Amino acid sequence: MKKGKEPAKVVIIGGGFVGAASAFALTMTGTAAEIVIVDTNKDKAKGEALDISHGLSMVRHQNIRDGVYEDVKGADIIIITAGSARKPGETRLDLAKKNVGIAKAIIKNIMQYYDGGIIIVVSNPVDILTKIIWQESGLPRSKVFGSGTSLDTSRYKHLLSEYYDVDVTKVNAFIIGEHGDSMVPVWSHASICGIRLDDFDKLTAKKLDKKYIEEEVRTCGAKIIQLKGATYYAIAMSISKIVEAIIMDHRTIMTASTVLSGQYGINDIAMSLPCIIGANGIEQVLDIELSENEHKSFLESADKINEVLVNAN
Ligand code: NAD
């Protein structure tokens, strides 16, 4: 891993909504000197790279371009955002099967040129694909992980900040488990600037409706898809934060989907927990103490993921 002095290179496989928005978000932070977009639709990759490049004079000099799998050579980070979206009439399992096939082909291509970067999986179903891509890559668990519930966690924080009418960056809360319906909001560790929510309720004379927040966080992605067809800005911001943490070795703490190795008795299933993210990718998975209900829900979430994994692979 290049740290600090050498210019960083990021390769994005898939230049659709999420891939292009991620390239844009990364360009705005300036963490990477070179961003390469690879897509089977070569015109799309070229068009997105050109469009972003035309704004570089407003920020800083960077090399944003389209490319091929060979560009994986020398990449510090490889982000996988390629995949098919769910078609009308298609089940989640059908989609999972289709994207597992795409993911296997992609990781095979990546590994032909791979020489040491961190692989971040974003395509859905992200927990399933993280496990498959990790398995097929043969790399350590720390080097292949998924964006997991980083987006759900950010949505959860936003909802809490709206409810209490306070700065969203002062909300400490996270969602673990599946990036999907069985996600688990960890109320037992949620706070506003270290003040537990029960205490914050007293200070603000409010009574938080946890069921409402849980329902909102589970369904808001689908609502956005209904409104505009896809979600991409918030996940792009999340990806940009993860990339920054790796390149700058921030050892930031975010939820990410990693292939578990015994945490809560779970093995070889990728699902989200808070993680320390730094130059080596996942520096540590934080298997914090959960309430009895949260623990039970986390185990149920693992079962749900495993069910799809077994049937889709
Ligand atoms: P999109 O259809 O706009 O883009 C997908 C791109 O992948 C297309 O440009 C397509 O040409 C490309 N592609 C397909 N197969 C490829 C291959 N083998 N190699 C290279 N490129 C290939 O979709 P999108 O809205 O950008 O979403 C991409 C993925 O991200 C989906 O799976 C979506 O569900 C997922 N997503 C994940 C999160 C999250 O929180 N993890 C959030 C939003 C979207």
Side-chain angles (χ1 to χ4, degrees):
M1 169 66 53
K2 302 167 200 162
K3 272 182 19 192
K5 293 179 200 86
E6 286 179 69
K9 176 179 180 183
V10 175
V11 173
I12 303 175
I13 313 289
F17 286 120
V18 175
S22 300
F24 179 69
L26 283 171
T27 304
M28 297 309 284
T29 63
T31 0
E34 186 176 8
I35 300 171
V36 185
I37 306 175
V38 179
D39 197 300
T40 39
N41 181 343
K42 291 189 187 316
D43 287 349
K44 178 85 164 83
K46 195 179 194 67
E48 296 294 0
L50 273 177
D51 195 2
I52 296 171
S53 300
H54 291 167
L56 287 175
S57 74
M58 320 291 169
V59 273
R60 62 189 67 72
H61 187 79
Q62 293 167 82
N63 182 9
I64 321 291
R65 61 181 179 85
D66 62 308
V68 291
Y69 277 101
E70 205 169 339
D71 287 300
V72 163
K73 268 189 210 157
D76 297 278
I77 299 176
I78 302 135
I79 306 169
I80 303 177
T81 63
S84 183
R86 188 137 64 117
K87 306 265 176 331
E90 198 173 40
T91 66
R92 276 178 187 276
L93 189 59
D94 289 339
L95 179 70
K97 282 182 181 160
K98 198 193 292 178
N99 281 348
V100 163
I102 294 176
K104 281 185 177 171
I106 287 173
I107 192 62
K108 201 167 168 209
N109 287 330
I110 288 176
M111 293 317 287
Q112 272 188 54
Y113 302 103
Y114 177 87
D115 58 5
I118 309 282
I119 300 178
I120 306 170
V121 183
V122 185
S123 312
N124 275 322
V126 67
D127 301 299
I128 306 293
L129 299 189
T130 300
K131 164 71 193 287
I132 303 283
I133 288 170
W134 166 73
Q135 192 173 275
E136 301 286 313
S137 72
L139 293 172
R141 291 166 208 256
S142 56
K143 290 212 162 196
V144 183
F145 64 93
S147 59
T149 57
S150 62
L151 173 59
D152 311 288
T153 291
S154 188
R155 286 171 171 158
Y156 183 41
K157 289 181 178 180
H158 170 72
L159 287 160
L160 288 171
S161 105
E162 262 195 342
Y163 177 79
Y164 286 113
D165 194 16
V166 293
D167 178 353
V168 68
T169 65
K170 299 296 171 200
V171 178
N172 294 314
F174 49 88
I175 292 195
I176 58 174
E178 184 199 14
H179 170 62
D181 290 344
S182 72
M183 65 178 74
V184 184
V186 182
W187 292 106
S188 64
H189 287 272
S191 75
I192 309 285
C193 215
I195 305 167
R196 287 155 41 98
L197 297 187
D198 285 349
D199 294 332
F200 213 79
D201 271 349
K202 284 181 202 143
L203 291 168
T204 54
K206 289 192 169 200
K207 181 80 194 100
L208 180 66
D209 184 347
K210 291 182 182 169
K211 282 226 148 41
Y212 166 78
I213 300 279
E214 288 195 7
E215 181 60 15
E216 274 297 300
V217 80
R218 270 197 191 94
T219 55
C220 60
K223 280 182 193 154
I224 299 172
I225 291 173
Q226 222 170 31
L227 289 167
K228 58 172 234 174
T231 71
Y232 39 92
Y233 292 124
I235 183 62
M237 289 152 94
S238 172
I239 292 167
S240 164
K241 184 89 182 155
I242 297 171
V243 168
E244 199 174 33
I246 296 168
I247 290 174
M248 309 298 284
D249 194 18
H250 278 162
R251 296 183 64 81
T252 198
I253 299 180
M254 291 176 76
T255 47
S257 183
T258 62
V259 182
L260 298 187
S261 55
Q263 291 87 350
Y264 309 97
I266 300 168
N267 277 297
D268 293 348
I269 295 178
M271 59 198 299
S272 288
L273 281 171
C275 296
I276 300 178
I277 301 177
N280 302 304
I282 301 292
E283 305 279 359
Q284 192 177 344
V285 178
L286 303 172
D287 46 344
I288 37 125
E289 196 173 328
L290 300 170
S291 74
E292 204 176 310
N293 273 345
E294 289 159 358
H295 188 204
K296 186 169 164 272
S297 303
F298 188 73
L299 296 182
E300 284 167 4
S301 190
D303 286 344
K304 289 253 162 67
I305 295 169
N306 200 37
E307 206 179 293
V308 180
L309 195 56
V310 167
N311 290 306
N313 192 10

